[in-house]
Amino acid sequence: MKIIADTGKCVGAGQCVLTDPDLFDQNEDDGTVLLLNAEPEGEEAEENARTAVHICPGQALSLA
Amino acid sequence: MTDVEETTATLPLARKCPFSPPPEYETLREESPISRVGLPSGQTAWALTRLEDIREMLSSPHFSSDRRNPSFPLLVARPVRSEDDSFRPSLIGMDPPEHSQARRDVVGEFTVKRMKALQPRIQQIVDEHIDALLAGPKPADLVQALSLPVPSLVICELLGVPYADHDFFQSCSSRMLNREVSPEERQTAFEGLRNYLDDLVTKKEANATEDDLLGRQILKQRESGEADHGELVGLAFLLLIAGHETTANMISLGTVTLLENPDQLAKIKADPDKTLAAIEELLRVFTIAESATSRFATADVEIGGTLIRAGEGVIGLSNAGNHDPAGFENPDTFDIERGARHHVAFGFGVHQCLGQNLARLELQIVFDTLFRRVPGIRIAVPVDELPFKHDSTIYGLHALPVTW
């Protein structure tokens, strides 16, 4: 699993950071998503990645 | 052909039970999930009641949030038109690409990390108010003692608005949000608050510092050479109102709900890690700011199999979406452990609430502290006698008498 983040679509809501702070962070200036780990491993991290994609309000996250 | 359009209901619909959405939402969702409805403004609009349709509409680029456009569907009577156009729309009334830049300018102030940094100060404010509550007479009104002052103080400090003026701006915002006041009175309240913030921003422009959000935005504008006084007044207006009314009502509604569901309250007390999950469920169950998901179509676009034409208003009934059984199993059951994070109580799409993580943090600190420090707290009147805000654009409680 690979997480893809489109910062152009990101609205800085921080929903991904709340879901898994080991995978996601936010740019301090404009709040856009920073991927800390684009390739989550293990059931829990993968499930968190799927949740983050589903709830992302800007639909800036996808999985490949 | 007839001029009179067939509508299935007139919004806003009333809640029959204070803890549940209007019962008609279920019928609408089952029989006509995308239906024409009448509005108090005399307009007709589409009402969406399915979670997926609401998410699709709110994330489509073909819907506008421009409240000044006559096509924008209003859940109150049409406002008196103001000749003064110096008041720029705030974020909530803008569309991309203008909105994207304006939101990006300020969203760094509301990141998860920035909110966490406010935790000690919010804890201090909550503790001071609970000290005063415990030292004062019983019963006490929790709205005045805790629900309203905590988020008001926090947003005032964050923005740089003097809290000493809170009686004034709280009165303006409650009149603006009350559906039963006349358009003239609403306009007077609006202009009063706008003029107050116009003066405040002018003063700050003369002496801008890094100490508060408005000062930081002024300095940022100067650096980019794009000073825009009207935009800052609009931003201050939005953040001040959105920052205290919404959270205040969720504190009151959440307190009542947790006290009425002692088994769920016990779970939080035993494990404060569950408080955040409880907050998501409370946000879902009440969905207090339903009209924030109103838009109008800027192109012909199909949503959920229905063609919505350019210029037609659409209201995503987020409270209906948040009780859609396709999105939440047994939606009318309050269950803090259901994992309700995909609710649309903060909206969805590019306008999703800017202050949502501040709201979560405030609610978390308030609930954890209140039930820890006042373990014997109980509602001082029968629940069916509580004054729920059936008359307001933002649902909540006018007062909450408690004792302990």
Side-chain angles (χ1 to χ4, degrees):
Chain A
M1 178 187 281
K2 189 169 171 19
I3 307 172
I4 298 161
D6 180 347
T7 51
K9 290 170 88 175
C10 177
V11 299
Q15 294 298 283
C16 52
V17 185
L18 284 190
T19 308
D20 195 331
D22 293 331
L23 299 180
F24 306 97
D25 197 357
Q26 283 170 286
N27 183 313
E28 279 181 34
D29 293 329
D30 63 9
T32 52
V33 58
L34 295 172
L35 281 181
L36 299 180
N37 176 4
E39 293 179 17
E41 282 173 21
E43 206 173 312
E44 193 185 345
E46 290 190 357
E47 184 58 34
N48 288 347
R50 274 189 287 272
T51 299
V53 170
H54 182 55
I55 65 174
C56 173
Q59 299 186 316
L61 297 176
S62 55
L63 298 174
Chain B
M1 274 297 275
T2 164
D3 288 333
V4 181
E5 194 170 7
E6 202 172 310
T7 55
T8 50
T10 298
L11 301 183
L13 293 162
R15 298 177 193 239
K16 298 283 187 296
C17 161
F19 300 98
S20 304
E24 292 89 345
Y25 284 1
E26 193 175 331
T27 320
L28 278 175
R29 198 189 309 107
E30 284 170 5
E31 294 174 5
S32 180
I34 301 179
S35 60
R36 296 297 280 170
V37 291
L39 303 176
S41 54
Q43 299 165 293
T44 51
W46 294 101
L48 310 184
T49 46
R50 287 189 298 222
L51 181 67
E52 277 313 307
D53 293 341
I54 294 168
R55 278 170 56 109
E56 191 182 337
M57 186 273 286
L58 291 174
S59 51
S60 161
H62 302 303
F63 290 91
S64 170
S65 277
D66 183 356
R67 280 152 172 71
R68 295 173 303 177
N69 190 299
S71 294
F72 189 87
L74 294 174
L75 281 162
V76 292
R78 275 254 159 236
V80 180
R81 278 268 162 237
S82 170
E83 295 302 313
D84 177 7
D85 62 357
S86 65
F87 183 76
R88 298 274 309 281
S90 54
L91 288 172
I92 200 171
M94 290 176 172
D95 293 323
E98 191 192 17
H99 170 267
S100 319
Q101 186 55 51
R103 179 168 173 127
R104 205 153 273 198
D105 284 345
V106 73
V107 74
E109 296 273 356
F110 292 92
T111 61
V112 173
K113 267 187 193 156
R114 288 290 284 272
M115 295 301 98
K116 273 200 183 132
L118 297 177
Q119 187 158 359
R121 176 61 185 141
I122 299 174
Q123 183 69 56
Q124 188 182 18
I125 290 171
V126 170
D127 276 324
E128 285 168 5
H129 283 79
I130 290 180
D131 289 343
L133 175 77
L134 290 170
K138 293 190 249 185
D141 177 10
L142 199 77
V143 171
Q144 296 304 326
L146 190 73
S147 310
L148 201 48
V150 168
S152 290
L153 247 169
V154 172
I155 197 67
C156 279
E157 289 190 2
L158 181 62
L159 283 180
V161 171
Y163 183 69
D165 298 332
H166 72 277
D167 281 341
F168 171 74
F169 63 72
Q170 283 169 1
S171 150
C172 288
S173 78
S174 73
R175 278 180 293 149
M176 281 172 55
L177 295 170
N178 190 317
R179 283 199 287 249
E180 288 169 9
V181 308
S182 68
E184 291 77 17
E185 191 182 344
R186 187 172 305 120
Q187 185 78 9
T188 304
F190 166 81
E191 284 172 6
L193 184 55
R194 180 197 58 192
N195 293 341
Y196 167 78
L197 290 169
D198 198 335
D199 287 347
L200 182 76
V201 171
T202 302
K203 280 183 205 148
K204 286 193 174 288
E205 282 163 341
N207 185 25
T209 68
E210 289 278 352
D211 295 342
D212 55 59
L213 185 151
L214 289 174
R216 289 190 290 272
Q217 289 293 310
I218 290 166
L219 295 172
K220 197 187 245 188
Q221 285 191 350
R222 279 188 197 150
E223 206 171 298
S224 67
E226 290 173 16
D228 190 333
H229 176 85
E231 189 176 318
L232 276 182
V233 177
L235 181 68
F237 194 96
L238 173 72
L239 295 181
L240 185 61
I241 292 192
H244 78 272
E245 280 283 350
T246 47
T247 310
N249 286 311
M250 280 310 303
I251 291 172
S252 301
L253 293 169
T255 302
V256 172
T257 308
L258 290 165
L259 288 173
E260 286 291 292
N261 290 273
D263 55 324
Q264 309 267 322
L265 178 57
K267 288 182 187 178
I268 300 176
K269 283 183 169 177
D271 180 4
D273 283 348
K274 289 188 172 161
T275 306
L276 269 179
I279 290 165
E280 298 304 326
E281 178 68 345
L282 288 165
L283 290 164
R284 180 192 74 86
V285 164
F286 287 107
T287 317
I288 61 172
E290 190 165 58
S291 61
T293 42
S294 303
R295 304 285 188 268
F296 67 90
T298 55
D300 291 357
V301 53
E302 197 179 295
I303 297 286
T306 296
L307 178 67
I308 294 171
R309 294 189 184 279
E312 289 180 335
V314 183
I315 297 180
L317 289 171
S318 43
N319 197 14
N322 279 340
H323 289 78
D324 181 351
F328 305 94
E329 201 176 325
N330 299 321
D332 298 327
T333 305
F334 175 66
D335 175 7
I336 67 166
E337 293 184 283
R338 74 162 65 239
R341 294 198 51 221
H342 55 299
H343 66 74
V344 286
F346 286 124
F348 194 67
V350 297
H351 287 283
Q352 194 180 57
C353 178
L354 185 67
Q356 58 183 301
N357 294 318
L358 177 58
R360 287 188 174 96
L361 180 63
E362 290 177 340
L363 291 166
Q364 184 180 19
I365 295 172
V366 164
F367 293 141
D368 282 344
T369 312
L370 178 66
F371 294 117
R372 173 171 51 81
R373 292 197 52 198
V374 197
I377 189 170
R378 58 188 193 275
I379 305 164
V381 298
V383 168
D384 57 9
E385 288 176 18
L386 289 172
F388 287 92
K389 288 187 176 175
H390 294 293
D391 52 356
S392 175
T393 307
I394 309 277
Y395 187 63
L397 277 160
H398 289 291
L400 176 52
V402 293
T403 192
W404 54 92

